[in-house]
Amino acid sequence: MADTTAPTLRRTWASLDKAWLALALILAAVAVLDPPQFWPTVTFTAGALLHTAPFIVFAVLAVAYMKATGAETLLAKAFEGRQVRMIFLAALLGGLSPFCSCEVIPFIAAMLALGAPLGAVMAFWLASPLMDPAMFLITSGTIGWDFAVAKAASAVGVGLMGGFATMALARSPVFADPLREKPQVGGCCGVKKPFQGKPVWRFWSESERTATFRESAIDNGIFLLKWLTLAYVIEAVMLQYIPAETIATVLGGDGIGTILLGALVGAPAYLNGYAAVPLVDALLAQGMSQGAAMSFVIAGGVSCIPAAIAVWALVKPRIFFAYFGFGITGAVLAGMAWHAIA
């Protein structure tokens, strides 16, 4: 008789959500290694979640409404008219809309196939993972309105920089013939074909859109709860066990070196834009400079796996590396600008 125990265990392990698993392991480690600190860690996390709960609820409902109405069709407006206008609108919509790069892969693939300028697409790609309404509310509620506004402005600015740079270099070998022969349009978000036609603002009259609202609210609510809980637990652990002097020495100060380091650390270390907010808040509390914090969140947003896959799936590697280069450059510039203002 065949032993089915090992395959069953492997399937069970693979099906576990890694964020929930990491959360359980961290709390278990605190409970075993430092029992007196376990309850303070739990209460810190609960208090932080309670503080941001109004922002989370509003953000979840707002995003669900936008998706249920089919508002992603408004993105088509960004790819009409003159290329300069396209780049401006693409950067604005990318930085302010609730649709991330991977959620609109079919739309972007269609636009590129129909000849939409790569500069406009690059502007949208760079801006979209950096900020959206939900992220803005959570950032403002945790770090502050000034940082959230600065990050939103930086998202649009990075998009504009990359879009116009791509436009200026459109005839160079780097940006010629950008599409893969068979672009992958499945996406990392499990995106379905977007609603066609105009948005339906009173979506509740259609059962399909009502179901979309419900599913989106549940999925986004669980997503935010999962990552923010993990992030707040990590924040509590960082504040307790990492000496503030260490952070202040490495990422504090007024020099450009800390801003560069923030970008270089942020690029590979990012979880996602939502989980990064409490982590940056903890780093700021321990002495991280404002400029380094901004470069960290911008570089990490551009290089996070969902955003990176959205670009890699559609274009050739040289375009992907140009996207990554624009993101890191924009992160450093945004960090320098915020350092000068803050």
Side-chain angles (χ1 to χ4, degrees):
M1 179 175 171
D3 183 8
T4 60
T5 303
T8 301
L9 287 175
R10 283 196 295 269
R11 285 195 298 270
T12 302
W13 178 263
S15 65
L16 288 175
D17 188 287
K18 301 303 185 293
W20 290 123
L21 180 61
L23 175 64
L25 290 175
I26 293 172
L27 289 175
V30 172
V32 172
L33 301 176
D34 190 4
Q37 190 58 33
F38 176 77
W39 184 244
T41 300
V42 172
T43 56
F44 176 92
T45 302
L49 285 171
L50 185 62
H51 174 72
T52 55
F55 301 98
I56 295 172
V57 171
F58 182 83
V60 166
L61 294 178
V63 171
Y65 175 78
M66 295 293 288
K67 292 188 177 181
T69 59
E72 70 270 23
T73 57
L74 296 176
L75 290 174
K77 301 294 183 182
F79 297 90
E80 297 176 354
R82 298 175 59 186
Q83 185 172 178
V84 171
R85 174 184 177 277
M86 291 185 200
I87 292 173
F88 272 107
L89 286 179
L92 284 170
L93 287 173
L96 302 177
S97 73
F99 308 110
C100 71
S101 301
C102 58
E103 287 179 309
V104 292
I105 281 181
F107 173 82
I108 294 295
M111 291 295 100
L112 284 171
L114 292 173
L118 183 61
V121 174
M122 184 68 75
F124 179 82
W125 265 335
L126 286 165
S128 63
L130 299 179
M131 185 58 75
D132 58 44
M135 199 181 300
F136 181 89
L137 290 171
I138 291 169
T139 302
S140 62
T142 303
I143 302 178
W145 288 97
D146 52 351
F147 192 92
V149 171
K151 189 188 175 190
S154 297
V156 176
V158 172
L160 291 174
M161 179 202 70
F164 283 115
T166 302
M167 175 182 170
L169 300 172
R171 297 184 182 276
S172 69
V174 174
F175 295 102
D177 188 25
L179 275 177
R180 291 180 181 269
E181 292 184 7
K182 294 182 179 180
Q184 302 297 315
V185 299
C188 55
C189 294
V191 64
K192 299 178 181 179
K193 186 177 180 181
F195 289 118
Q196 301 298 308
K198 296 181 180 180
V200 178
W201 302 116
R202 297 185 177 185
F203 70 88
W204 48 85
S205 60
E206 299 182 20
S207 58
E208 181 182 355
R209 294 180 184 274
T210 303
T212 297
F213 177 87
R214 182 174 59 253
E215 292 169 6
S216 176
I218 293 173
D219 290 345
N220 280 296
I222 293 174
F223 174 86
L224 289 176
L225 178 65
K226 171 179 67 179
W227 284 107
L228 287 174
T229 302
L230 174 60
Y232 285 131
V233 167
I234 294 175
E235 180 183 7
V237 171
M238 288 172 59
L239 291 172
Q240 177 65 26
Y241 299 111
I242 299 179
E245 296 79 8
T246 302
I247 301 299
T249 301
V250 176
L251 293 171
D254 298 328
I256 190 175
T258 59
I259 296 173
L260 289 170
L261 187 59
L264 294 176
V265 171
Y270 222 56
L271 296 173
N272 61 55
Y274 303 99
V277 174
L279 303 186
V280 170
D281 186 46
L283 290 170
L284 285 169
Q286 291 176 292
M288 185 183 199
S289 72
Q290 290 284 339
M294 185 61 71
S295 66
F296 179 92
V297 296
I298 297 297
V302 168
S303 63
C304 70
I305 291 176
I309 288 178
V311 181
W312 181 266
L314 297 181
V315 295
K316 294 178 178 177
R318 63 179 185 273
I319 309 296
F320 172 80
F321 289 115
Y323 160 86
F324 190 77
F326 288 144
I328 297 298
T329 302
V332 173
L333 293 175
M336 294 172 64
W338 180 234
H339 173 75
I341 296 171

